[in-house]
Amino acid sequence: MATSPETLEFLSKCFMNSLSPNHEPRRQAEASLGEAAEQPNYGLAVLTLIRTPGIGEEIQQAAAVNFKNFLKARWAPAARRSEPNVPLPNPIPDAEKKLIKEHIVSLMLESTPRIQSQLSEALVVIGKHDFPRQWTELLPMLNSRLQQALTEGGNYAAINGILGTANSLFKKFRHGYGTNDLRLDLRYCLDNMAVPLLQLFSHTASLFDSGVSSGASAANLKPLFESQRLCCRIFYSFNFQELPDLFEDNMDPFINVFGKYLTTTYPALEQGGEQALVDNLRAAICEILTLYVERTEEPFERYVGEFEKAVRSLLITVSGSPGRDHLAITAIKFMTMVSTMAHHYKLFDDASLDQICRSIVIPNVMLREEDEELFEFNYIEFIRRDMEGSDVDTKRRAACELLKGIATHYREKVAPMVNNVIQTMLAKCNENPALNWKYKDSAIYLVISLSTVKATGPNVLTGCFDLQSFFSVVVAPELQSQDVNSFPLLKAGALKFLTVFRDQLPKSSVMSLLPEVLRFLGAESNVIHSYAAIFIDKVLLVKDEGGRARYVASDIAPFLPVLLNNLFIALKFPESEENQYVMKCIMRLLGVADVSGDVAATCMSGMASILNEVCKNPKNPIFNHYLFEAVAVLIRRVCDKDPSVISLFETSLFPSLQTILTNNVIEFFPYAFQLLAQLVELNRPPLPPHYMQFFELLLLPDLWTKSADVPALVRLLQAFLRMAPNELNQGGKLDEVLNIYSKLLPSSRTEEQAFFVLNTVVESLGYEVIAGYLPKILVSLFTRLQTNQTPKFVRCFIIFMSLVIVKHGWNNLVDAFDRVQPGILLTILEVFWVPNLKQITGATETKLTAVASTKLLCECPALLKPESSKIWGKMLDSIVTLVTRPEEERVEEESEVPDFAETGSYSATFIRLYNVNKRDDDPLKEIKDPKQFLLASLRNLSDFSTGRYGQVISENVDPANQAALSQLYSTLTTA
């Protein structure tokens, strides 16, 4: 694409129309730009348009965004591959890349701030792939422009543009593992940029000091402060892996500047609406200081005491100020790090410890207005932070971590202080409970946060408080409150306390409060009824010594009808229609309780109604999964006791399952197939006719195109094959089933599922039915062995052959082999079976292959011939290894290599329903021990007792296995 006036005019119109509020011109413009992007030099043409004066900033802004996205898609498209079957866009030609890299820096620095930010992001996209090794000109170019901006009277708009770009480029040093390549890249960046940056930092500090002393305006000081913040972020990147010599040698100058920025007030900025700018610089400094305390104790040791006082004083001011969370959190993290380090904990005297408790911890653990807003308007996020531990970067959590930190070395001093803090909070609440309830909430939060719960009990700060007493006096009254909707945040804290300490509280205390918790399921607050459900879910998992469940079906039986009713009512509250915590509780409860037929009917009806609703628009995958698990566990537990109620579940579920399949609710396909498999397996042959419509659907090839659906489809197909084998002989059904097997076999993602189908056919049908198909099946397997042999495929092949032997006899397998190619059995044994037999895993699979191998060893004439003695010996060696050594000693780990060659679109990983019973597929229930079977078979081998095989064994069986075989003989003989 030539950068002619006509091209620029065309692009200008396209970008203008791309901003149109009308759909059609916007769609056409986007399509035209997509076609243009396929042409060489498109990126250069867009850069030229951005640089052209008089175009209009809106068009230039749209062009800059487009250019950034163009680079993201095409600079290194192979690196962005996420969907294996989506074609990659054409990469930008190398010549065009070279020109873009030559011009982008200057254009970025000459642009307005909005366009500069887009071009800076575009530059970082290039840098992610090319910097520094394939773009060695970049740092010298940035350095040169930095010096130029300084000599031009301090052009801090350009300076900050350069620093912002450099900061983004250098971020990789903060997170990357310290490999040699990363260290070489870091050394290159330090050599080219560290000195100029330290000089710029000192120069800007002096300009800032003179500006402050002369009363400069906030507008003049603002770019200087932003420059210092960006320098600090780059310093953090440069120092993250280790302290470079340059920074250690020049620590005094910039450390002194850090101290000044932490301790000095700047009224022009702080009172002029730029408090956040000042706080962001201080936060960046605190992050560097924390890094130095953690990583470089010795060089920084002499400064720690000074900075601890500075940061503590800063925190006392910041802790009571709203909207300054970022600074507060980073400052608290610095204090926490200092408090836990052995070299520095002595910095804290009694006065400073008391000051930390009263002036830093208490203000920061108090609920804030934004916490209340989150509680009310985004209950899911509130629960994630408060109950699930994603609040690591909140002031509340940081303050508690600081308290834990100072308790590391001052437990005896801190314990009474913590107790005083808690008692002060409770006393404040008691003065006016309606007005001061937040103090009680904070006291509960402190107790929860400071208690590290272990398997043997809570490790609470010694002497702080008595858990049972605190629970009885402070928490229980909140749970016994008759108004479940009053002070909801306080109720949430009490329910959280009950959940966190469910292991430590006596069963009698918990059971006495269970009726109270049931009432909270009817609370209007989404958080409250969610916390009540979470508690019930968690308490049913509590184990006593020996792994025995503490709470069993008889404990919850008196409450079961009300409990289930209240849970389903909770799902009717606004925004809780798909409440994952409530549905998980229903699932857990159904897994523990003894559910009667009447209760089961009510539950099934309620869940079917919910399922019909979510089918219309599946939104919450976690809720949906627990919904299907709840259905599965209800079916499993009720039908296991009373198979006659299967029809009840069929009546409730079939309409929903038909809706899923007919309306193509693809998110639910795997779940639907698993539930159908469960229902099929619970029936008794012959299957009711209404199941056969699903069997006909199952044979449609289009249903098998998504690999994520395949395990569930195979599970359902296996269920039909086992429960309705006679139907396979009607209307060519077996041919259709084997076509499915053939479709699954070529891909390493679905090869194991192909064998599941094949094995079920072998296991469910008589040999007279499958005999005509067996040679064709073997040809397909031999072909796959030659073209794409994987360890998993070979293991599956051995298991398949073993199953044919134990179900239909080794002679039929040998006959099928000979029909493909006479004498090929010995080759298969020598090349594949013998070397890989020891790789078989799983108790059932191990027994199956060991028994089948033993049958061949002791009964197959081809193996018993003298000329086959070497293969015979090697096979015995493999059998002994298989049956005498644990899996971890004989199985080699292998990395799973994804297969991107399969047909069909990308989809998420299959999710198994835990509560759908896994069938017992042991085809050898009559054989308990494969070792005994091996010895009995060897004894029955007529030539074995004559000693004919003694030399064969000594030559081909590993000495350790010879010893194991002798040990087996002696053990079983004496037994």
Side-chain angles (χ1 to χ4, degrees):
M1 174 177 282
T3 53
S4 62
E6 293 79 14
T7 299
L8 297 181
E9 184 178 355
F10 162 76
L11 290 174
S12 179
K13 287 182 179 179
C14 286
F15 286 123
M16 180 182 293
N17 289 334
S18 73
L19 302 173
S20 172
N22 299 319
H23 173 73
E24 188 54 31
R26 192 170 67 248
R27 186 193 64 78
Q28 291 182 356
E30 290 169 353
S32 297
L33 289 169
E35 292 176 6
E38 297 292 338
Q39 301 180 37
N41 295 321
Y42 171 79
L44 288 172
V46 176
L47 275 184
T48 303
L49 180 70
I50 296 170
R51 176 171 274 158
T52 303
I55 293 295
E57 186 165 0
E58 280 195 351
I59 294 174
Q60 290 174 314
Q61 173 77 4
V65 172
N66 176 273
F67 177 74
K68 175 190 68 179
N69 293 332
F70 170 75
L71 295 191
K72 283 182 178 179
R74 297 175 184 268
W75 196 271
R80 299 181 69 248
R81 177 185 283 280
S82 58
E83 300 186 7
N85 298 300
V86 176
L88 292 173
N90 293 325
I92 301 171
D94 289 342
E96 185 178 353
K97 284 184 176 181
K98 185 173 184 296
L99 291 171
I100 288 173
K101 288 195 284 192
E102 287 177 3
H103 295 289
I104 189 171
V105 173
S106 58
L107 178 57
M108 178 194 73
L109 296 176
E110 294 163 6
S111 300
T112 58
R114 290 174 62 196
I115 295 171
Q116 185 181 84
S117 66
Q118 297 296 328
L119 293 179
S120 176
E121 288 184 43
L123 191 152
V124 172
V125 170
I126 302 172
K128 179 181 178 182
H129 301 288
D130 289 15
F131 178 78
R133 300 183 184 208
Q134 296 174 8
W135 199 1
T136 55
E137 307 89 352
L138 178 59
L139 283 191
M141 194 185 312
L142 291 177
N143 204 353
S144 172
R145 296 304 295 260
L146 191 64
Q147 301 307 319
Q148 181 182 340
L150 280 170
T151 56
E152 290 175 353
N155 179 2
Y156 272 86
I159 289 171
N160 290 344
I162 295 167
L163 292 177
T165 301
N167 179 41
S168 297
L169 287 171
F170 299 147
K171 280 181 181 178
K172 71 174 185 177
F173 300 125
R174 300 179 199 172
H175 310 295
Y177 181 71
T179 61
N180 287 336
D181 285 347
L182 189 75
R183 293 180 186 278
L184 287 172
D185 290 350
L186 176 58
R187 173 50 55 194
Y188 170 82
C189 295
L190 285 167
D191 290 344
N192 282 274
M193 286 295 286
V195 171
L197 284 171
L198 285 170
Q199 291 173 344
L200 173 65
F201 186 75
S202 298
H203 175 72
T204 306
S206 61
L207 287 179
F208 190 81
D209 288 345
S210 60
V212 170
S213 61
S214 63
S217 66
N220 290 330
L221 295 175
K222 182 178 176 180
L224 301 178
F225 237 62
E226 176 63 9
S227 173
Q228 297 298 73
R229 184 190 73 82
L230 288 168
C231 282
C232 286
R233 298 309 293 148
I234 295 171
F235 292 165
Y236 184 80
S237 298
F238 281 170
N239 286 259
F240 189 86
Q241 298 293 329
E242 59 185 7
L243 181 64
D245 292 342
L246 180 67
F247 282 82
E248 184 174 353
D249 296 341
N250 293 276
M251 190 170 274
D252 274 343
F254 70 86
I255 284 291
N256 290 334
V257 175
F258 287 171
K260 186 185 300 181
Y261 289 150
L262 290 176
T263 55
T264 306
T265 57
Y266 300 99
L269 290 168
E270 294 172 293
Q271 297 172 14
E274 300 295 343
Q275 180 69 63
L277 181 67
V278 180
D279 283 356
N280 286 340
L281 173 59
R282 290 169 174 162
I285 291 170
C286 286
E287 287 198 72
I288 295 175
L289 299 179
T290 304
L291 186 68
Y292 283 167
V293 172
E294 181 182 16
R295 304 277 181 90
T296 59
E297 288 184 357
E298 189 175 337
F300 187 65
E301 188 172 357
R302 65 183 185 276
Y303 304 103
V304 174
E306 171 190 341
F307 279 111
E308 185 277 322
K309 291 177 184 176
V311 172
R312 178 157 36 99
S313 298
L314 182 64
L315 266 173
I316 291 170
T317 303
V318 171
S319 295
S321 303
R324 304 179 75 180
D325 287 9
H326 179 52
L327 174 57
I329 292 166
T330 53
I332 290 173
K333 285 182 177 179
F334 167 74
M335 295 287 292
T336 304
M337 183 59 66
V338 172
S339 70
T340 56
M341 301 301 284
H343 292 304
H344 308 308
Y345 75 90
K346 294 180 181 178
L347 294 170
F348 299 98
D349 55 21
D350 290 356
S352 62
L353 291 172
D354 185 68
Q355 193 176 49
I356 288 170
C357 288
R358 297 190 178 278
S359 302
I360 297 176
V361 172
I362 291 180
N364 284 298
V365 297
M366 295 297 293
L367 275 171
R368 301 165 303 161
E369 186 177 336
E370 47 262 53
D371 296 323
E372 297 181 69
E373 291 176 356
L374 194 67
F375 180 92
E376 186 173 354
F377 298 113
N378 190 347
Y379 80 96
I380 294 289
E381 183 58 28
F382 181 90
I383 293 172
R384 284 175 181 158
R385 290 188 183 184
D386 185 56
M387 182 70 86
E388 297 178 0
S390 67
D391 63 337
V392 289
D393 284 325
T394 63
K395 289 169 64 176
R396 267 194 148 190
R397 174 64 71 87
C400 289
E401 291 303 313
L402 173 58
L403 206 50
K404 286 182 182 179
I406 59 176
T408 303
H409 299 286
Y410 292 103
R411 184 172 298 272
E412 294 77 13
K413 293 182 178 179
V414 170
M417 292 180 184
V418 172
N419 187 54
N420 288 337
V421 166
I422 291 171
Q423 296 306 319
T424 300
M425 287 178 169
L426 294 176
K428 187 74 174 177
C429 175
N430 291 334
E431 290 174 8
N432 189 337
L435 187 63
N436 296 337
W437 61 270
K438 289 184 181 180
Y439 287 95
K440 187 174 186 180
D441 172 85
S442 297
I444 294 173
Y445 184 89
L446 265 179
V447 172
I448 293 172
S449 299
L450 294 176
S451 303
T452 305
V453 180
K454 298 182 178 180
T456 55
N459 180 22
V460 183
L461 295 181
T462 304
C464 288
F465 41 79
D466 175 74
L467 182 66
Q468 185 63 48
S469 173
F470 186 88
F471 170 71
S472 302
V473 174
V474 179
V475 178
E478 294 301 325
L479 298 173
Q480 293 161 345
S481 168
Q482 294 306 299
D483 186 354
V484 295
N485 295 313
S486 65
F487 303 107
L489 273 157
L490 198 50
K491 300 289 195 302
L495 285 166
K496 180 184 176 184
F497 184 99
L498 192 60
T499 303
V500 170
F501 296 109
R502 61 191 179 276
D503 285 295
Q504 287 70 41
L505 293 171
K507 182 176 180 178
S508 57
S509 299
V510 172
M511 292 303 300
S512 66
L513 285 171
L514 190 56
E516 314 295 348
V517 176
L518 300 192
R519 293 186 299 105
F520 285 106
L521 290 170
E524 295 172 359
S525 165
N526 301 97
V527 174
I528 297 301
H529 56 248
S530 297
Y531 274 20
I534 289 170
F535 165 70
I536 296 165
D537 169 36
K538 300 288 188 186
V539 83
L540 292 176
L541 294 173
V542 173
K543 305 289 184 187
D544 285 325
E545 289 184 16
R548 297 184 303 275
R550 183 180 298 178
Y551 301 91
V552 295
S554 58
D555 293 319
I556 57 177
F559 312 102
L560 185 61
V562 175
L563 182 48
L564 284 168
N565 181 63
N566 288 6
L567 284 165
F568 279 103
I569 288 175
L571 291 171
K572 296 179 180 178
F573 283 106
E575 297 186 34
S576 271
E577 297 88 350
E578 296 185 24
N579 188 314
Q580 64 206 49
Y581 306 104
V582 174
M583 185 51 69
K584 186 180 182 183
C585 180
I586 292 173
M587 177 203 73
R588 187 79 61 208
L589 189 61
L590 293 174
V592 173
D594 288 329
V595 182
S596 66
D598 291 341
V599 173
T602 304
C603 284
M604 196 67 250
S605 174
M607 289 191 289
S609 175
I610 294 168
L611 181 55
N612 290 334
E613 283 301 310
V614 297
C615 280
K616 297 174 184 176
N617 183 21
K619 293 179 293 189
N620 185 343
I622 301 175
F623 173 85
N624 296 335
H625 181 78
Y626 288 135
L627 171 60
F628 282 100
E629 287 282 14
V631 173
V633 72
L634 184 62
I635 294 172
R636 173 172 62 84
R637 301 201 74 235
V638 174
C639 293
D640 280 350
K641 290 189 297 184
D642 184 6
S644 66
V645 300
I646 293 175
S647 58
L648 164 72
F649 293 107
E650 293 171 348
T651 302
S652 297
L653 265 183
F654 270 26
S656 300
L657 298 178
Q658 287 172 329
T659 298
I660 291 170
L661 298 177
T662 56
N663 293 353
N664 207 31
V665 187
I666 57 175
E667 296 92 337
F668 292 166
F669 274 15
Y671 294 129
F673 299 140
Q674 289 177 86
L675 289 181
L676 276 169
Q678 185 181 32
L679 289 170
V680 169
E681 291 168 351
L682 286 168
N683 271 275
R684 297 292 178 265
L687 281 178
H690 52 262
Y691 277 98
M692 299 318 295
Q693 60 180 318
F694 292 110
F695 182 56
E696 296 291 340
L697 179 68
L698 192 59
L699 298 178
L700 296 176
D702 289 347
L703 203 61
W704 295 81
T705 54
K706 287 180 61 182
S707 61
D709 293 343
V710 167
L713 285 166
V714 167
R715 175 67 187 275
L716 179 55
L717 182 56
Q718 288 178 293
F720 276 117
L721 292 176
R722 293 183 179 111
M723 303 303 295
N726 294 330
E727 281 78 353
L728 290 179
N729 294 324
Q730 302 170 6
K733 295 290 192 301
L734 182 54
D735 292 284
E736 295 180 65
V737 170
L738 292 176
N739 284 338
I740 291 170
Y741 146 78
S742 300
K743 184 179 179 66
L744 301 178
L745 187 66
S747 169
S748 61
R749 281 189 177 184
T750 54
E751 63 187 8
E752 189 173 29
Q753 300 297 324
F755 277 104
F756 289 166
V757 174
L758 198 56
N759 293 347
T760 310
V761 168
V762 168
E763 193 173 357
S764 304
L765 301 177
Y767 187 72
E768 68 281 359
V769 178
I770 67 171
Y773 294 94
L774 202 50
K776 185 178 178 180
I777 291 170
L778 290 174
V779 168
S780 67
L781 295 175
F782 294 162
T783 302
R784 175 65 199 277
L785 279 173
Q786 292 176 324
T787 58
N788 185 16
Q789 179 191 139
T790 65
K792 181 165 60 176
F793 178 86
V794 174
R795 290 197 299 271
C796 290
F797 180 46
I798 294 171
I799 291 169
F800 162 71
M801 291 188 292
S802 300
L803 189 62
V804 174
I805 290 172
V806 300
K807 295 298 291 186
H808 303 296
W810 60 264
N811 53 323
N812 284 324
L813 179 67
V814 173
D815 177 64
F817 271 71
D818 285 342
R819 278 187 281 162
V820 175
Q821 182 179 327
I824 196 175
L825 173 66
L826 290 179
T827 303
I828 294 295
L829 290 176
E830 183 175 14
V831 177
F832 299 107
W833 193 313
V834 170
N836 292 286
L837 185 60
K838 65 181 180 181
Q839 298 295 323
I840 301 297
T841 59
T844 300
E845 292 81 358
T846 298
K847 180 169 70 169
L848 171 68
T849 53
V851 169
S853 300
T854 300
K855 284 179 174 287
L856 281 176
L857 189 77
C858 298
E859 300 175 24
C860 179
L863 262 178
L864 295 173
K865 293 178 180 179
E867 57 266 31
S868 303
S869 59
K870 182 175 181 181
I871 299 177
W872 190 95
K874 293 295 183 185
M875 191 157 193
L876 176 61
D877 184 60
S878 292
I879 297 171
V880 175
T881 299
L882 181 67
V883 298
T884 61
R885 297 188 191 178
E887 284 184 10
E888 59 269 20
E889 290 184 15
R890 56 182 172 81
V891 177
E892 299 173 4
E893 290 188 9
E894 63 188 77
S895 58
E896 289 291 335
V897 179
D899 178 12
F900 296 117
E902 66 174 351
T903 57
S905 60
Y906 169 81
S907 63
T909 304
F910 164 75
I911 298 177
R912 184 175 73 87
L913 286 174
Y914 175 82
N915 286 295
V916 171
N917 279 348
K918 188 178 188 306
R919 281 183 56 91
D920 179 13
D921 296 329
D922 185 358
L924 293 167
K925 294 184 176 67
E926 70 280 4
I927 296 176
K928 302 302 180 185
D929 187 351
K931 295 190 289 292
Q932 288 184 343
F933 184 82
L934 171 64
L935 294 181
S937 300
L938 289 173
R939 282 173 175 165
N940 290 334
L941 188 62
S942 59
D943 289 340
F944 193 78
S945 58
T946 64
R948 172 191 157 190
Y949 288 100
Q951 185 175 353
V952 176
I953 292 173
S954 65
E955 291 176 355
N956 296 285
V957 177
D958 182 88
N961 282 344
Q962 293 182 41
L965 194 59
S966 298
Q967 179 66 30
L968 281 177
Y969 261 108
S970 61
T971 301
L972 294 174
T973 301
T974 55

